[in-house]
Amino acid sequence: MENQDEVSTGEKCRNIRTGSSPDDIAQAFLDNLYYAQGRIPVLATRNDLYMALAYTVRDRLAARWVAQMQQFRRAELKKSIKVVCYLSAEFLPGPHLGNNLLNLGIYDETRQAMEQLGYNLEELIDQETEPGLGNGGLGRLASCFMDSLSTIVVPAFGYGIRYEFGIFDQEIRDGWQVEITDKWLKLGNPWEMPLPELCQEVKLGGHTEHYQDGQGRSRVRWIPAGVVEGIPYDTPILGYGGNICNTLRLWKAEAVESFDFQDFNVGNYYAAVEEKVKSETITKVLYPNDEPEIGKMLRLIQEYFFVSCSLQDMIRIGKMLGNSPECFDQRYVAQLNDTHPSIAVAELMRLLVDEHDVAWEKAWEITQNTFGYTNHTLLPEALEKWPVELFGQILPRHLEIVYEINRRFLDQVRLAFPGDEEQAARLSLIDESGCRYVRMAHLACVGCHAVNGVAKLHSELLKSEVLRDFHEMFPEKFHNVTNGVTPRRWMALSNPRLAALISGVIGDGWITQLDELRKLEPFADDPAFQEKWRRVKRENKNDLATLILNRTGVAVDPDSLFDIQVKRLHEYKRQHLNVLHIITLYARLKRYPASDCVPRTFVFGGKAAPGYAMAKLIIKLINSVAGVVNTDPDIRGRLNVAFLPDFNVKTGQQVYPAADLSEQISLAGEEASGTGNMKFSMNGALTIGTLDGANVEIREEVGAENFFLFGLKVDEVEELKARGYDPRKYYDSNPALREAIDLIRSGHFSGGNAQLFAPLVDLLMQRDNYMLFADYQPYIDCQDRVSAAFRDQQNWTRMSILNVARMGKFSSDRAVREYCDMIWKVQPV
Ligand code: GFP
């Protein structure tokens, strides 16, 4: 009976809801415009049109989504699958419309349908406000993984937070970053579906009571000070080719009761809604990176909130399918994306032991089997720790659980390293060296069965530095999974010209089997193919030049070398080293105006954390240098500098395809992996980079001769630090470096204001924590080699083709398969 209903409902609405011919799509679009948006074409705004199209596409996803859920349900009932749950405080999916059209395979049909109706598809796609629910690499990686999980057919949930305000929008005013609230939900979000009936309750604060149950066992009851409700909002994540459609489930916090009727009845309206406002604050805003965590009570509550909702949801689904909580680890694996969700270790223990009556030892086995932990940074300040007192105030029961995990763990440590109390103190989940902290990375290492870094070098450094003691204790837990990015969004969707050229010669199998790009190698020297390759790049550069002009007012020459650095602003990423190169070229041209120089356009993009003053000063420096360079008549036609405001996924899609040169110049040992480096290379840019993060593996793959390497290696950095690094020595002995620094210091780029950049220059002269001065000359020399190479367009094109041909490894499909094999032990369905 159930099946019959499904069939008949499906039949009735097939054409209008699921048909994929241009006529079906056009008809469905008009229908949605009328019935969902309440508009007719003459009255419709661009957003109405976008919404109508989004609903039209969503209808086409729904059929797959529902079918998928049924299929999984059947498989789960037979207990034949394990579901992957990716727990991440950040997801950066990027705009959905274009990607869904691509993955559904109806891009061209939809374009035709819109043309029939007199609309431009690209304009409608551009109307979408992207969900900026992440800071940068970490959140974007989570979304690439969601795309791959669906494409390679692994049943999965992405669990996270539905921030009302995502990462701020960046404006540049007078060269400075200004942060604007990101109101991404303002015009409506057609991709999400709220499921209020599946809400979960989350307790906070209060105290615990220890008591004996009827059978004389000691039990604990948590008496919270308050309870909030988590409402799930689901977004379908379709795989390429429409294979399967997984779910991104994001939680929004709400008050359990919107009104306190007692207050309301006595006329205190404000008190009545206060609770609602307080509860909803939890998921109001995404915290930017690089700001001290300490004291951010709300951040800890956010993390706990989404983790608790997600784990309870997993148990609920299990129960619905007849699974007992004792089978939790047989039905699920859960990956902790950095330490942000690591409270999950204590929460699952609490749920199992306190709420589902599972014995501690069994619960611990389940917990360890369930979780894996991915580390994304070696920066010590980015490893989360919470003051014990604050932790205990918010999560009193979890603090007890952490203590108990620690007690048992330290017993194990003392057995393994008898008499070594220093080792025990270093490993302890509690940092007792000063004010007491709960160390979240330690909780993750102890509570997970697998720990991994995100590039070979990073995973090695984790073992030898940041997590050395844990590696000594549990060497078998440590793995590497080098990051990857989805070729759907980052090639097929964002670079359609290149995608068409490639598919024209090797077919389109590369979209799901990226290794097939190798078949391009024989074309690397083919003059006709090279010519087409250059034409694609030229057209992409043309488009970017238009974007730069529209957004910044800077007119750039598409024939110049497009030298691009787009990523979050951070001193370790060394955008200011790039600036020193620009100033060096500028100074050369001023001194020798007749000298021959390869014209370059320098493009920057990226946000600085609102509280990170030095990163914001670097943005100001970039814009100040741009102001001088772009307007100096001696430099005209030779150098241009542009800072593209508000870099995000959408802008990235227009930037990567247009780059000639990708700047990956972090100090060796600082960048865990990088994923922008992969996106550039996949789109035919050559890399100038240090031996850091995934650069190492990109160079291995594309060949040393197709990569511009410079700079200190990790061991050289260590050695130099140990010897006592003195930046002043480099300044004193290198006239070009001195000139560049002195130009900044003199106020040359700041209208004579010598104070403006003093904090930056002083820091470089005194400490130079990221060794710009040591890497300066090798960088300049390498950039000169880049310029020389760019003059030989034939060879440059060859290198560019080979870069793309050899990028197969950096598909997120490969990365996700490795997680499946090594860590999750699940098979694609
Ligand atoms: C972090 C690391 C990057 C890494 C990504 C994804 O990025 O090196 O590639 O995570 O693993 F720093 P951000 O979130 O810091 O941008």
Side-chain angles (χ1 to χ4, degrees), residues 90 135-142 145 289-290 337-338 340 374-379 453-455 458 483 567-568 570 572-573 670-678 693-694 819:
E90 302 189 9
N135 276 278
L138 175 140
R140 183 53 229 171
L141 185 78
F145 283 4
N289 278 358
D290 309 318
N337 198 24
D338 217 322
H340 317 146
T374 305
N375 172 288
H376 294 266
T377 182
L378 295 160
L379 297 182
V454 289
H458 170 232
N483 284 343
K567 48 182 80 238
R568 290 190 302 110
H570 198 291
Y572 86 74
K573 297 179 190 268
E670 300 289 336
E671 187 70 88
S673 164
T675 44
N677 45 6
M678 301 167 187
Y819 278 98

Side-chain angles (χ1 to χ4, degrees), residues 67 72 187 260 427 482 541 583 598-599 609 617 622 649 678 829:
F72 283 173
L187 296 178
D260 183 321
L427 282 164
T482 299
K541 286 166 75 174
I583 298 175
V598 169
L617 192 57
I622 295 168
V649 175
M678 301 167 187
V829 173

Side-chain angles (χ1 to χ4, degrees), residues 494-519:
S494 57
N495 200 345
R497 295 185 183 107
L498 188 71
L501 176 61
I502 294 173
S503 298
V505 291
I506 64 167
D508 63 5
W510 60 273
I511 298 176
T512 48
Q513 303 290 335
L514 202 61
D515 286 324
E516 289 196 11
L517 287 175
R518 283 266 172 194
K519 294 184 192 161

Side-chain angles (χ1 to χ4, degrees), residues 95-139:
H96 292 287
L97 177 54
N99 200 61
N100 282 332
L101 289 175
L102 175 83
N103 284 3
L104 281 167
I106 56 168
Y107 210 112
D108 289 338
E109 291 78 356
T110 306
R111 180 183 289 120
Q112 283 174 39
M114 292 302 102
E115 272 167 13
Q116 278 175 25
L117 299 171
Y119 301 121
N120 176 320
L121 176 62
E122 301 309 324
E123 270 177 32
L124 299 189
I125 287 177
D126 193 46
Q127 174 65 25
E128 182 170 349
T129 312
E130 72 173 73
L133 309 183
N135 276 278
L138 175 140

Side-chain angles (χ1 to χ4, degrees), residues 164 228 252-255 258 275-285:
E164 187 178 336
V228 290
K252 173 179 192 270
E254 285 195 359
S258 300
E275 203 48 43
K276 179 170 162 63
V277 173
K278 233 168 51 193
S279 303
E280 289 179 3
T281 307
I282 295 174
T283 49
K284 268 276 175 252
V285 63

